[in-house]
């Protein structure tokens, strides 16, 4: 393959998913040029749960004040108004994103959209920006450190481009994250997941609540059912890779068994039709704090192992990291400083934003090993507004970080009250 002339860039971004696209758009908003490369041509699919939380909405608004309204008006999504948690004892805990919401007047606080559509939605914004040199079908097979930054090569060894700072946003299977940044796959901090699309699932919420099922004989894993446009649903399971290996669990077989035999789910899937294959994917979790930068590079999103260990959410965290990567990339260029010491400011910014939530989610994840305790929490949340709101805020990003800093919050969390 021959490449059109690609001059030396200050900033190059690998991967045009939510993290890479967000970084490119924030850089463009600040007047900085960048090279954005992706090995695929968009629209392209990505195996995921497809839920877009309030955190995603907030990040869209940070890119462009009108971007959320544009998404909300699109037929590619359905508005979601809350979460239904199903405890191991079958107790359903319905938590609206907005108490006493009015669909006619309130702005929706969440959405569900297939990744093939949402990622392309962001890429279409990228295409409109002259500051972003966006190249598709460019597979970076090797990177090489140089005195001036990085050289990027294809599989044939041909140089693709050079840059001073590399923003690595090429996903959970990133070779760079593994080989250069040293992010080893650790089964205790990695989730194995499966996803399939279904049609004609019975009993989906009229308000498009997303469903998280914590099933007793499947813990510490969970099953999700997320409603999609045209009556479809994204259905999947996730479980720590450590548990999958230790218990020799066949996730594909277990998904089929649960949908066929679970007393609450089996009737709902009796007439459902699976659309296409069941696809597997790996989720590097943010349950362990890792370095997100090094000499001349940042790791973004899944490449930085930033996925929420309890909910499995990765889209908003990728976009958060993309925003901060853009800020600190601009600072690095301004100061002509691409040293590991200077770039660590990016790590601090990302973990200042996400660290407490990731720690809380890690605690929630560990609760899945104790079904009886999880049942108690679910039962108490019905009569404990603080606990119910906390579960909601993990998805909606309202003022959870501020609450986590207040000692009174923990008293209310344990003993009830508003």
């Amino acid at each position: 393959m021959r490449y059109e002339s690609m001059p030396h860039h200050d900033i190059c971004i690998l991967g045009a998913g939510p993290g890479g696209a967000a970084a490119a758009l924030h850089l463009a908003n600040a007047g900085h040029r960048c090279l954005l490369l992706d090995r695929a041509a968009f629209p392209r699919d990505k195996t995921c749960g497809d839920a877009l939380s309030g955190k995603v909405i907030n990040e869209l608004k940070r890119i462009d004040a009108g971007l959320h309204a544009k998404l909300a008006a699109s037929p590619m999504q359905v508005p979601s108004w809350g979460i239904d948690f199903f405890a191991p004892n079958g107790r359903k805990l319905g938590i609206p994103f907005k108490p006493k919401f009015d669909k006619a007047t309130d702005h929706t606080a969440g959405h569900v959209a297939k990744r093939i559509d949402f990622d392309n939605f962001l890429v279409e914004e990228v295409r409109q920006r002259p500051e972003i040199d966006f190249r598709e079908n460019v597979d970076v097979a090797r990177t090489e450190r140089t005195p001036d930054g990085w050289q990027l090569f294809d599989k044939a060894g041909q140089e693709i481009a050079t840059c001073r700072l590399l923003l690595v946003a090429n996903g959970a299977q990133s070779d760079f994250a593994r080989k250069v940044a040293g992010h080893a796959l650790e089964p205790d901090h990695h989730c194995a997941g499966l996803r399939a699309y279904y049609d004609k699932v019975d009993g989906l919420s009229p308000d498009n609540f997303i469903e998280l099922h914590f099933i007793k004989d499947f813990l510490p894993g969970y099953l999700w059912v997320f409603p999609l446009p045209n009556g479809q649903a994204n259905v999947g399971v996730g479980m720590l890779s450590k548990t999958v290996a230790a218990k020799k669990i066949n996730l594909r077989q277990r998904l089929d068994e649960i949908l066929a035999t679970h007393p609450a789910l089996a009737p709902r899937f009796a007439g459902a039709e699976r659309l296409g294959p069941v696809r597997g994917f790996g989720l590097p979790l943010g349950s362990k704090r890792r370095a997100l930068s090094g000499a001349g590079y940042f790791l973004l999103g899944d490449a930085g192992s930033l996925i929420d260990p309890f909910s499995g959410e990765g889209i908003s965290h990728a976009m958060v990291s993309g925003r901060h990567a853009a800020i600190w990339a601009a600072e690095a260029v301004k100061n002509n400083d691409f040293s590991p010491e200077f770039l660590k400011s990016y790590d601090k910014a990302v973990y200042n934003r996400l660290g407490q939530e990731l720690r809380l989610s890690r605690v929630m994840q560990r609760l899945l090993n104790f079904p009886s305790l999880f049942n108690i929490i679910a039962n108490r949340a019905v009569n404990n507004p603080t606990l119910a709101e906390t579960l909601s805020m993990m998805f909606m990003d309202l003022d959870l970080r501020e609450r986590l800093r207040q000692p009174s919050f923990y008293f209310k969390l344990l003993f009830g009250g508003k």
Side-chain angles (χ1 to χ4, degrees):
M1 177 178 179
R2 292 183 60 83
Y3 300 98
E4 298 175 30
S5 176
M6 289 191 187
H8 184 71
H9 288 77
D10 284 334
I11 303 166
C12 177
I13 305 171
L14 298 186
L25 289 166
H26 281 295
L27 284 166
N29 287 344
H32 297 282
R33 303 186 65 83
C34 69
L35 174 65
L36 176 62
L37 305 175
D38 200 285
R39 67 181 181 181
F42 285 75
R44 61 95 178 96
D45 198 12
K46 173 75 184 291
T47 308
C48 178
D50 295 339
L52 307 175
S53 72
K55 297 178 187 178
V56 173
I57 292 173
N58 287 344
E59 292 305 315
L60 288 174
K61 291 177 178 177
R62 286 177 179 269
I63 294 171
D64 184 312
L67 207 49
H68 174 227
K70 190 173 180 180
L71 172 70
S74 170
M76 74 178 188
Q77 59 75 45
V78 294
S80 178
W81 296 92
I83 308 170
D84 282 333
F85 291 92
F86 293 84
N89 61 4
R91 162 83 74 158
K92 173 183 172 180
L93 175 62
I95 301 178
F97 295 142
K98 292 183 178 180
K100 300 178 181 178
F101 64 89
D102 184 341
K103 291 194 289 185
T105 58
D106 288 336
H107 294 293
T108 183
H111 301 268
V112 190
K114 291 182 178 180
R115 283 293 298 276
I116 190 172
D117 296 321
F118 179 70
D119 287 15
N120 195 58
F121 171 80
L122 289 177
V123 162
E124 287 302 312
E125 296 297 316
V126 164
R127 295 187 197 278
Q128 297 174 35
R129 302 304 299 264
E131 304 92 341
I132 305 171
D133 184 0
F134 176 44
R135 310 282 181 109
E136 299 167 273
N137 288 318
V138 177
D139 189 0
V140 177
R142 181 169 64 88
T143 58
E144 187 172 307
R145 189 84 172 107
T146 71
D148 298 320
W150 294 92
Q151 278 181 295
L152 313 180
F153 299 92
D154 66 10
K155 289 180 180 177
Q158 182 179 352
E159 183 183 278
I160 297 170
T162 60
C163 65
R164 301 171 79 192
L165 180 63
L166 198 56
L167 275 57
V168 181
N170 55 1
Q173 308 304 319
S174 173
D175 276 349
F176 189 101
R178 187 169 61 254
K179 295 176 181 178
V180 179
H183 282 213
L185 192 158
E186 299 179 57
D188 195 36
H189 302 281
H190 187 274
C191 182
L194 294 178
R195 176 270 276 162
Y197 289 124
Y198 280 82
D199 195 15
K200 301 177 183 175
V201 177
D202 195 30
L204 294 175
S205 163
D207 300 317
N208 296 320
F209 275 42
I210 64 174
E211 303 176 28
L212 296 177
H213 296 262
F214 300 96
I215 298 165
K216 185 176 181 180
D217 62 357
F218 190 63
L219 294 176
Y222 65 95
L223 180 145
W224 68 80
V225 181
F226 294 169
L228 283 162
N230 306 312
Q232 296 181 11
N234 180 315
V235 181
V237 289
M239 182 178 283
L240 271 181
S241 298
K242 178 181 179 181
T243 306
V244 172
K247 297 185 177 181
K248 297 182 172 58
I249 295 170
N250 184 323
L251 283 182
R252 195 174 301 254
Q253 181 179 325
R254 289 294 288 123
L255 174 61
D256 288 339
E257 288 174 355
I258 291 170
L259 297 183
T261 63
H262 188 272
L265 290 168
R268 297 177 57 192
F269 280 83
E273 300 175 6
R274 182 178 291 167
L275 306 173
V278 178
R279 296 194 181 278
F281 58 111
L283 303 173
L285 304 175
S287 47
K288 175 182 178 179
R289 183 164 177 155
R290 297 173 172 89
L292 301 178
S293 63
Y297 71 84
F298 293 148
L299 301 180
L300 283 62
D302 293 7
S305 302
L306 289 174
I307 294 172
D308 187 288
F310 178 67
S311 69
E313 180 180 7
I315 298 173
S316 69
H317 291 187
M319 296 179 74
V320 166
S321 66
R323 171 163 56 87
H324 287 293
I327 292 169
W328 285 102
E331 286 295 312
V333 171
K334 175 184 172 184
N335 290 277
N336 193 31
D337 191 344
F338 304 92
S339 66
E341 294 75 23
F342 185 84
L343 299 183
K344 278 182 182 176
S345 295
Y346 164 71
D347 300 49
K348 293 175 184 175
V350 171
Y351 282 116
N352 181 58
R353 173 63 191 78
L354 297 175
Q356 287 178 303
E357 293 171 41
L358 290 173
R359 284 193 292 273
L360 177 62
S361 290
R362 175 66 162 167
V363 172
M364 296 293 290
Q365 178 202 55
R366 286 170 169 164
L367 283 178
L368 299 181
N369 290 300
F370 307 98
S372 58
L373 185 56
F374 198 91
N375 287 332
I376 291 170
I377 289 176
N379 291 338
R380 292 203 41 199
V382 174
N383 300 309
N384 184 335
T386 299
L387 182 52
E389 287 173 12
T390 301
L391 292 171
S392 177
M393 286 176 184
M394 289 175 68
F395 291 81
M396 299 319 302
D397 184 35
L398 298 177
D399 59 353
L400 181 56
R401 284 180 301 151
E402 290 303 319
R403 289 193 174 200
L404 288 173
R405 296 188 180 104
Q406 300 169 5
S408 61
F409 167 79
Y410 296 95
F411 182 86
K412 294 175 182 176
L413 194 62
L414 291 171
F415 302 109
K418 297 184 179 180

